[in-house]
């Protein structure tokens, strides 16, 4: 897996495929690029050059623990990575926090965006209670480590049925959360809490946009995503049946097909 000093940190990323059609994939919180392995294999076989970084602090990427991971900063890292790779324009796909970063990327670097894929994410900022809970969680993670974030996040990442039956998907996601370093979580929680309201930006997005969302998402209701797509005539909505928040994992076959169709329309 390649790494380089990018935007002041050691950034790791994984690449698959080659060519001028670039798909940049931004992971959710508190995860790393390995959540995209299935999509990397799938889309690289379809002629896409797929790049999935570990965002700063996550996976094998370093960060400065005294600095907050704002969504703008994470987007600047992603843009600097594209520059480093000599990529002028990419399709940017982000899931959940990756979606917040995708919005921040488009706002700061619209010229680098060919299309957007917003997976299980939302445009609204945190409500006051949610914001307060982020800061409370930050204190608990300081005391107890990453398992505290796992305890809060994991129970809502898949459909209720999958949580009941358990299995490899759940185990794998838990493993990523637990190995995420606490300082990354501590640095990111304020960035999540203070992220901007991008609802007013939605009508102005001027590139093809796919809003894709697990129909059983317990963290972000699917109706919200539907409304997000309705705010822009260039946006299309697809609901992923039988999937919760991690729709790319829980129903990867459907997710990949829907994204594939969208990507095919761009070529
Ligand atoms: C994520 O999956 O990235 C998080 O649920 C985002 C969030 O906590 O808002």
């Amino acid at each position: 897996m390649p790494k380089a000093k990018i935007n002041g940190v050691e950034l790791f990323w994984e690449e698959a495929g080659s060519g001028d059609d670039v798909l940049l994939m931004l992971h959710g919180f508190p995860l790393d690029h390995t959540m995209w392995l299935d999509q990397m294999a799938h889309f690289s076989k379809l002629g896409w050059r797929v790049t999935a970084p570990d965002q700063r602090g996550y996976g094998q990427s370093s960060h400065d623990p005294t600095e907050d991971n704002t969504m703008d900063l994470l987007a600047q890292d992603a843009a600097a990575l594209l520059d480093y790779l000599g990529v002028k324009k990419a399709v940017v796909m982000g899931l959940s926090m990756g979606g917040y970063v995708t919005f921040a990327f488009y706002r700061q670097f619209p010229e680098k965006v060919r299309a957007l894929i917003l997976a299980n994410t939302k445009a609204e900022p945190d409500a006051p209670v949610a914001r307060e809970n982020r800061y409370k969680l930050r204190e608990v993670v300081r005391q107890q480590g990453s398992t505290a974030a796992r305890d809060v996040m994991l129970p809502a990442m898949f459909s209720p049925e999958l949580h009941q039956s358990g299995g490899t998907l759940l185990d794998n996601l838990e493993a990523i959360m637990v190995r995420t370093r606490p300082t990354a979580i501590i640095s990111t929680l304020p960035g999540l809490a203070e992220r901007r309201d991008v609802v007013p930006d939605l009508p102005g997005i001027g590139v093809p946009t796919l809003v894709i969302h697990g129909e059983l998402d317990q963290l972000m209701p699917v109706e919200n995503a539907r409304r997000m797509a309705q705010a822009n005539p260039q946006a299309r909505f697809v609901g992923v049946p039988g999937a919760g928040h991690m729709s790319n994992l829980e129903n990867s076959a459907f997710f990949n097909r829907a994204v594939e169709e969208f990507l095919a329309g761009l070529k």
Side-chain angles (χ1 to χ4, degrees), residues 218-241:
Q218 303 180 71
L219 277 177
M220 302 175 184
V222 65
E223 278 318 313
N224 196 68
R226 227 184 278 276
R227 272 199 308 276
M228 182 158 79
Q230 282 163 359
N232 186 299
Q234 293 210 58
R236 173 189 316 172
F237 173 81
V238 174
V240 183

Side-chain angles (χ1 to χ4, degrees), residues 17-31:
S18 58
D20 294 335
D21 294 315
V22 177
L23 175 58
L24 174 70
M25 305 202 291
L26 301 172
H27 64 77
F29 170 83
L31 305 173

Side-chain angles (χ1 to χ4, degrees), residues 28-29 95-97 100 134 153 157 192 195 219-220 245:
F29 170 83
L95 185 138
S96 198
M97 177 184 81
Y100 309 154
R134 304 256 197 212
M153 303 289 302
M157 296 305 259
L192 290 169
R195 72 182 192 281
L219 277 177
M220 302 175 184
H245 191 58

Side-chain angles (χ1 to χ4, degrees), residues 21 31 68 70 83 90 147 151 155 159 235 263:
D21 294 315
L31 305 173
D68 286 349
T70 63
D83 289 345
T147 53
D151 293 347
S159 66
L263 293 175

